[in-house]
Amino acid sequence: QELLVQSGAEVKRPGASVRVSCKASQYIFTDYYLHWVRRAPGQGLEWMGWFKPNTGWTYYAKKFQGWVTMTSEMSIATAHLDLSSLKSDDTAIYYCARGPPVGGPPQQNGRYFDYWGQGTLVTVSS
Amino acid sequence: QSALTQPASVSGSPGQSITISCTGASSDIGNYNYVSWYQQHPGKAPKLIIFDVSNRPSGVSSRFSGSKSANTASLTISGLQVEDEAEYHCSSYSSTDSLVFGTGTKVTVL
């Protein structure tokens, strides 16, 4: 059984919003950072930000500030990534990934991603 | 925040060694030992193979090794095998935007 299981593929119109979910299992959800990474067609990986489940704190990469929101439902150990005002170049596979344990210095919260979700394809097309 | 620079492609024959570079700046690789490497096969999620510049997670082959010099990190794959054909991504902590990935390198086994 995979540690991180993501929601299914989505097709959206430009300007719409979408939610991608990531359910964690086999570890204590609040003990580790949860990151989001995307990969657009023909591009490399792009880091979007992190979420700290035990506090709800977030940090979004500068490019994504203002239109990305990371939240969670602790009762079901599930993280959510909300994207708004979608554009065609937001078409990508979106991954959740587990980071290091919470509690270390800030520079360490993205030291590595040891488990990844299977990815969710979001297609933005008119 | 600009991506770390990697060669677009590297190739080698089975049994050979190859090295992939990952070039950044003093705001990331040059001043922090939080470089990691990921292997990604087509249609699959990335897999962690190196963290903290040169450490291998449990279960990762010792044929993978990492190093760093100044603003450049490197991943070496020794004894290249057919199953090593994949895309490889580096990442580093960045003082300007927390974390940055590389541009990605496609490894082809000839």
Side-chain angles (χ1 to χ4, degrees):
Chain A
Q1 187 180 357
E2 302 297 330
L3 260 68
L4 299 173
V5 178
Q6 297 183 224
S7 50
E10 302 269 7
V11 179
K12 296 292 181 181
R13 301 288 190 199
S17 299
V18 69
R19 166 169 282 192
V20 178
S21 299
C22 171
K23 181 169 177 57
S25 63
Q26 302 178 64
Y27 75 95
I28 299 173
F29 179 62
T30 51
D31 282 357
Y32 295 81
Y33 284 95
L34 197 291
H35 293 251
W36 291 92
V37 176
R38 76 177 186 179
R39 187 168 192 189
Q43 305 291 316
L45 298 175
E46 186 171 28
W47 179 74
M48 300 178 70
W50 57 254
F51 178 78
K52 195 174 183 184
N54 62 331
T55 61
W57 294 351
T58 56
Y59 180 87
Y60 306 131
K62 291 183 173 64
K63 173 177 178 176
F64 298 98
Q65 292 173 7
W67 63 282
V68 162
T69 305
M70 298 174 189
T71 59
S72 75
E73 292 180 71
M74 283 202 294
S75 62
I76 54 172
T78 297
H80 302 295
L81 173 71
D82 291 312
L83 309 170
S84 62
S85 304
L86 290 166
K87 302 182 292 293
S88 58
D89 58 5
D90 294 318
T91 294
I93 298 175
Y94 289 79
Y95 296 98
C96 59
R98 193 180 82 165
V102 302
Q107 298 94 326
Q108 293 191 10
N109 65 28
R111 272 171 71 200
Y112 55 78
F113 304 138
D114 56 356
Y115 289 95
W116 294 66
Q118 81 277 20
T120 297
L121 175 62
V122 175
T123 303
V124 183
S125 174
S126 55
Chain B
Q1 171 71 37
S2 297
L4 305 173
T5 301
Q6 298 180 233
S9 62
V10 173
S11 61
S13 300
Q16 284 186 328
S17 292
I18 61 169
T19 297
I20 302 168
S21 61
C22 171
T23 301
S26 57
S27 57
D28 40 66
I29 294 175
N31 273 303
Y32 301 95
N33 291 323
Y34 298 135
V35 177
S36 55
W37 289 89
Y38 301 88
Q39 176 192 62
Q40 187 175 26
H41 288 105
K44 300 292 189 182
K47 173 189 174 185
L48 177 67
I49 55 173
I50 294 287
F51 68 97
D52 292 352
V53 177
S54 59
N55 292 315
R56 277 189 312 278
S58 173
V60 172
S61 172
S62 57
R63 298 185 300 103
F64 295 96
S65 61
S67 62
K68 188 187 89 165
S69 177
N71 294 342
T72 298
S74 299
L75 172 72
T76 298
I77 308 174
S78 57
L80 198 62
Q81 299 181 358
V82 171
E83 58 262 36
D84 298 332
E85 186 160 297
E87 189 146 8
Y88 293 81
H89 310 271
C90 61
S91 75
S92 173
Y93 170 78
S94 166
S95 61
T96 61
D97 203 13
S98 195
L99 191 137
V100 62
F101 276 103
T103 48
T105 298
K106 179 172 173 51
V107 168
T108 302
V109 181
L110 301 171

